[in-house]
Amino acid sequence: MPRVPRQTICWERQFDAMTRAPQQGTDVAALSEQDAVAELARLAHEIAEHDGLYHQLDAPEISDAEYDALRRRNAEIEARFPHLIRPDSPSERVGAAPETGFAKLRHRVPMLSLDNAMGAEEFGEFCTRARRFLGLPADAPLAWVAEPKIDGLSINLTYERGRFVRGATRGDGTEGEDVTANLRTMDTIPDRLHGHAPALIEIRGEVFMTKADFLKMNEAQAAAGQKVFANPRNAAAGSLRQLDPRITAGRPLSLFAYAQGESSEPVADTHWHYLQRLRDWGFRVNPLSRHLRTEQEAAAFQAEMATERSGLGYDIDGVVYKIDDLRLQARLGFVGRAPRWAIAWKFPAEQAMTVLQEIRIQVGRTGALTPVARLEPVNVGGVLVQNATLHNEDEIARKDVRIGDTVVLQRAGDVIPQIVSIVTERRPKGAKPYEFPTVCPVCGSHAVRVPGEAVRRCTGGLICEAQRVERLIHFVSRPAFDIDGLGEKTIREFYEEGWLHSPADLFRLPAREAAIAEREGWGKVSARNLARAIEARRRISLDRFIYALGIRRIGSTNARLLARHYGSFDNWRREMLAAVGPGSEGRAELGSILGIGPAIAEELADFFGEARNVRLIDELAAELKIEDATRTEMRDSEIAGKTLVFTGSLETMTRPEAKARAEALGAKVTDSVSKKTDLVVVGADAGSKARRAGELGVRTVTEQEWRQLAGFD
Ligand code: IVH
């Protein structure tokens, strides 16, 4: 087994991938219909993207819990607005990506787990229980086989007449997933057993990844912009659960065989002998496995493995001790889901103490600020550790971590160490509570926290170096500028070349047509096509332009609302600048657009409050011809150009329908009544808005009158 040299690990990408979290929304009960439309669209898109990442690329970017939360939210919104269920809704999608994508396979003999012993005493108790159960005297000799416990993924392999026919993951112990095709790609799983084998036999073992292979694979994943795994176990599991076996084939998986399930004939009388048969059939058995005759030998082996552990090529978290005699194993049987004849004697988690020198804030590709502890280098279980995750702002406050503190570090399976506790007695005098920055360390923009989210995010977007590529990818995406032939890969390629800094640079690419044609994988025709596709998008609708900027919470629906409300780019720009001040009239107008509201108004104000964003927009607009939003269908309608407010409940049409109708006629619909309001449509049970209209002398009409004005009747 390869030994792993002392190593430092490049964390940056790992943290980035791990801290990305889906956007959380407001309470479903408080969503307006407009918001629901926008959010269902976002969820459909996001869930489809995560499905693809998970099923096709084995590069999930969010945890299962986060994914489930997205689906749950989608279902909740759909339950409240059933008429808004989209044809491409994630809840309607069946077949393409079933629950797991794999068929279920029943194990002939259940796959069990192991009880744990946390020290010599508990191991002794296990031995006593076994002897007592067998009716043996307390000092009766017993023999064990000890095997290092690798934290991987157990699998069940079925061989019929010596041929590998099926293989499944453990699953719930009774039923697992059929991963036969993937297991066939592993060269440590023999296709045919050598020598004589029973007509039917189930062989069990652990699929795992070595530390070196894991680090190498993560490096490659990171370089390709793909998900990196937190630890070798996740990497092994993710690699085996691939729908496309070609992906598994490229992953460095290994297997140690160690147990048996069903067998049509007995193959050995002791476990030690069984391990030999496994080797003879062509399996790899952990060479460190040892035959032991006393509890003292077991304790010595445990100590030996604890010392060897850090130098092994793979992670182990303990040693499994199995009573060697298979007849005794059969008599002992099981209790609950664990055998009485085996136990996992676990190692304590690897810990070390060191000093926290600095807290660095790392900005992820989506703007999330992640605190990383910079430590005085220390060896934890053979890995030289200089960084540890601090998760987020609340976690730092909860632990009251201060710079200069002595901290206890722990590596428990995961490659990224955790700070377990602070040794407060060693706290230097004058150490101050840590203040989490409220500006982005990369671009200097505000970093804000949305209520309910643990993550603080940079608002810099396109002006933040850490987020630029991601934002440019959004900029050219289908609902935004939709530039043919300019996908993620090309954006990254040109960014690395230094050609793309801001969105305006995209429109300078046609001038580089000759240079692009010279590049590997390009050529005259594709360079020409790209230049044409870009030129074609110099003319752009105002709503797409707004959406492309990637301002937080401005999805395509909100972008359309803004475009319709403000009409032209110049007007929108002017009004947004007028809305920067929190109490300004511009802000009030913005917040009163139906479907926008004060929270979104604040996002826009934040964005325009940053001079660099305004410069970026102006620079971009200079390259473009931004088309005015179509305001009216019937310019001569009586309400074209008027500002309307609906209040009370309408009986003959829904509020969204009334609003859509009004907008189609060229009216502007707002939420609150002001001096600027031209007309208030008063439905049943109207309250303060109708009163206010009266006070301000604004014209009011009944629902019936509104229907006539709008041409319904
Ligand atoms: S024997 C009934 N042997 O540990 C016996 N398990 O905690 C069941 N494991 O699911 C398993 N190394 O994934 C056995 N040498 C070993 C093992 C081992 C690792 C894992 C296996 C199992 C888990 C139980």
Side-chain angles (χ1 to χ4, degrees):
M1 215 14 73
R3 300 235 153 198
V4 173
R6 279 158 66 95
Q7 51 207 313
T8 51
I9 294 168
C10 162
W11 311 104
E12 313 294 314
R13 298 246 189 192
Q14 307 219 0
F15 281 129
D16 189 19
M18 275 182 236
T19 49
R20 252 172 269 160
Q23 212 173 308
Q24 272 170 15
T26 38
D27 195 355
V28 171
L31 282 184
S32 71
E33 186 151 331
Q34 286 282 8
D35 291 342
V37 170
E39 218 186 318
L40 287 174
R42 175 180 72 79
L43 285 164
H45 175 76
E46 232 176 83
I47 293 172
E49 209 168 83
H50 289 306
D51 283 343
L53 287 165
Y54 182 88
H55 291 293
Q56 273 99 51
L57 300 171
D58 183 34
E61 290 192 348
I62 56 173
S63 68
D64 287 356
E66 286 168 329
Y67 176 80
D68 290 345
L70 288 179
R71 291 195 77 109
R72 231 178 6 254
R73 183 154 176 92
N74 188 71
E76 280 167 18
I77 300 175
E78 288 183 344
R80 210 190 129 206
F81 301 99
H83 60 292
L84 298 182
I85 297 179
R86 303 163 55 93
D88 65 346
S89 161
S91 61
E92 307 269 296
R93 222 176 308 132
V94 282
E99 282 277 280
T100 68
F102 293 101
K104 296 273 182 224
L105 265 189
R106 250 189 125 68
H107 309 305
R108 284 168 193 267
V109 173
M111 290 180 80
L112 299 150
S113 57
L114 293 169
D115 278 340
N116 293 333
M118 295 316 294
E121 199 178 324
E122 288 182 18
F123 179 72
E125 288 165 9
F126 156 74
C127 300
T128 307
R129 275 197 306 274
R131 285 197 182 89
R132 202 181 301 137
F133 187 90
L134 295 167
L136 297 172
D139 56 354
L142 271 181
W144 293 268
V145 173
E147 298 158 1
K149 185 172 187 292
I150 298 181
D151 194 15
L153 178 79
S154 58
I155 48 143
N156 186 27
L157 308 167
T158 306
Y159 284 81
E160 286 174 8
R161 286 183 295 281
R163 274 181 173 277
F164 174 49
V165 289
R166 270 184 305 283
T169 59
R170 177 172 178 275
D172 62 4
T174 311
E175 228 179 28
E177 291 172 335
D178 183 346
V179 286
T180 312
N182 295 345
L183 292 168
R184 283 194 197 284
T185 68
M186 288 174 54
D187 53 12
T188 40
I189 296 183
D191 201 34
R192 261 173 183 283
L193 300 181
H194 302 304
H196 173 75
L200 172 87
I201 186 162
E202 284 179 340
I203 288 161
R204 285 152 188 196
E206 200 81 353
V207 172
F208 66 98
M209 207 177 270
T210 65
K211 295 183 209 171
D213 281 340
F214 162 71
L215 291 170
K216 215 159 57 193
M217 184 183 119
N218 257 2
E219 283 291 307
Q221 292 278 110
Q226 304 236 336
K227 154 94 179 157
V228 292
F229 295 96
N231 55 44
R233 202 210 90 85
N234 288 4
S239 300
L240 193 60
R241 294 178 74 260
Q242 284 294 321
L243 287 179
D244 182 352
R246 282 171 303 186
I247 298 179
T248 309
R251 301 283 174 86
L253 294 173
S254 313
L255 174 92
F256 276 141
Y258 55 59
Q260 52 179 319
E262 174 79 312
S263 179
S264 59
E265 63 183 79
V267 289
D269 50 7
T270 63
H271 184 62
W272 189 243
H273 183 202
Y274 174 68
L275 293 185
Q276 188 51 47
R277 300 257 0 224
L278 286 173
R279 286 192 200 94
D280 295 343
W281 286 326
F283 288 100
R284 286 175 67 212
V285 170
N286 193 320
L288 297 171
S289 304
R290 185 88 58 87
H291 187 259
L292 306 166
R293 298 194 166 276
T294 62
E295 272 103 313
Q296 288 73 21
E297 278 183 18
F301 186 72
Q302 187 74 16
E304 190 183 324
M305 284 299 111
T307 320
E308 289 281 316
R309 177 185 190 188
S310 60
L312 295 180
Y314 43 81
D315 276 330
I316 62 171
D317 58 356
V319 178
V320 181
Y321 294 87
K322 300 174 179 172
I323 290 181
D324 190 28
D325 188 325
L326 294 181
R327 272 170 321 187
L328 294 185
Q329 282 194 9
R331 279 177 60 197
L332 283 159
F334 305 91
V335 53
R337 309 208 50 80
R340 285 197 192 83
W341 45 264
I343 196 145
W345 185 346
K346 303 288 279 283
F347 298 130
E350 294 169 295
Q351 291 194 338
M353 249 197 271
T354 189
V355 173
L356 173 69
Q357 295 174 320
E358 185 191 346
I359 294 176
R360 280 205 190 152
I361 304 292
Q362 201 200 306
V363 186
R365 288 190 293 179
T366 55
L369 267 54
T370 308
V372 179
R374 294 283 299 169
L375 308 159
E376 211 165 83
V378 64
N379 191 315
V380 193
V383 177
L384 191 69
V385 173
Q386 309 192 57
N387 301 299
T389 175
L390 284 166
H391 301 290
N392 56 48
E393 196 170 345
D394 294 344
E395 184 73 5
I396 297 181
R398 197 178 62 75
K399 290 196 174 131
D400 186 21
V401 184
R402 302 183 185 190
I403 293 166
D405 269 346
T406 297
V407 296
V408 177
L409 281 183
Q410 177 169 304
R411 270 186 74 226
D414 283 9
V415 169
I416 295 178
Q418 317 280 326
I419 290 181
V420 196
S421 58
I422 313 294
V423 189
T424 31
E425 307 84 74
R426 297 212 194 166
R427 173 166 285 166
K429 275 212 180 65
K432 291 194 194 63
Y434 180 72
E435 273 184 42
F436 204 90
T438 50
V439 291
C440 170
V442 174
C443 72
S445 303
H446 290 301
V448 297
R449 256 178 94 167
V450 173
E453 277 189 28
V455 180
R456 188 172 282 278
R457 282 174 200 281
C458 162
T459 56
L462 279 160
I463 54 175
C464 180
E465 199 59 56
Q467 301 172 67
R468 199 158 270 153
V469 171
E470 213 70 8
R471 295 311 180 104
L472 285 167
I473 291 167
H474 168 83
F475 191 90
V476 299
S477 67
R478 182 73 51 87
F481 270 69
D482 189 18
I483 300 180
D484 255 358
L486 199 52
E488 178 169 344
K489 195 169 144 268
T490 312
I491 293 276
R492 288 190 196 284
E493 181 186 336
F494 291 171
Y495 174 79
E496 257 138 51
E497 187 65 42
W499 289 350
L500 287 182
H501 200 64
S502 79
D505 291 336
L506 285 164
F507 296 93
R508 295 170 189 140
L509 285 174
R512 299 185 190 273
E513 188 185 321
I516 294 172
E518 294 294 306
R519 297 181 70 85
E520 204 187 312
W522 285 85
K524 279 204 169 111
V525 178
S526 37
R528 183 86 275 258
N529 287 343
L530 177 66
R532 279 206 189 120
I534 294 172
E535 291 299 348
R537 289 289 182 262
R538 280 193 196 272
R539 225 176 164 38
I540 191 89
S541 65
L542 178 59
D543 61 321
R544 277 180 183 261
F545 176 87
I546 296 174
Y547 172 76
L549 298 173
I551 303 167
R552 206 169 148 76
R553 292 177 186 237
I554 307 298
S556 17
T557 308
N558 285 341
R560 251 196 315 275
L561 284 174
L562 291 167
R564 259 200 238 142
H565 189 89
Y566 293 102
S568 70
F569 168 71
D570 289 336
N571 190 35
W572 178 64
R573 180 188 179 284
R574 192 175 47 246
E575 293 294 324
M576 290 304 101
L577 287 171
V580 168
S584 61
E585 241 191 68
R587 174 75 73 88
E589 174 175 350
L590 178 57
S592 73
I593 301 174
L594 204 64
I596 294 291
I600 297 174
E602 197 175 322
E603 299 282 359
L604 285 158
D606 272 354
F607 183 86
F608 277 87
E610 172 58 70
R612 285 173 296 173
N613 282 330
V614 182
R615 268 206 303 283
L616 178 137
I617 289 184
D618 290 345
E619 198 194 331
L620 174 62
E623 298 283 343
L624 305 171
K625 164 94 195 68
I626 304 167
E627 291 168 346
D628 289 354
T630 37
R631 284 192 152 221
T632 56
E633 273 171 5
M634 299 159 26
R635 284 191 187 276
D636 51 358
S637 139
E638 209 184 312
I639 60 169
K642 300 266 164 48
T643 301
L644 260 70
V645 172
F646 289 93
T647 179
S649 52
L650 302 180
E651 275 160 14
T652 61
M653 68 184 83
T654 62
R655 192 64 85 70
E657 189 183 355
K659 177 174 177 289
R661 190 72 182 204
E663 284 175 349
L665 293 169
K668 203 157 76 173
V669 179
T670 64
D671 258 350
S672 58
V673 180
S674 73
K675 285 194 302 258
K676 289 190 182 174
T677 313
D678 297 301
L679 187 69
V680 178
V681 181
V682 181
D685 303 321
S688 61
K689 287 184 198 172
R691 264 201 312 281
R692 181 137 176 80
E695 284 159 22
L696 294 172
V698 174
R699 179 183 168 200
T700 60
V701 293
T702 63
E703 180 173 356
Q704 199 46 49
E705 285 165 327
W706 150 248
R707 287 183 66 86
Q708 275 161 13
L709 280 174
F712 276 89
D713 298 326

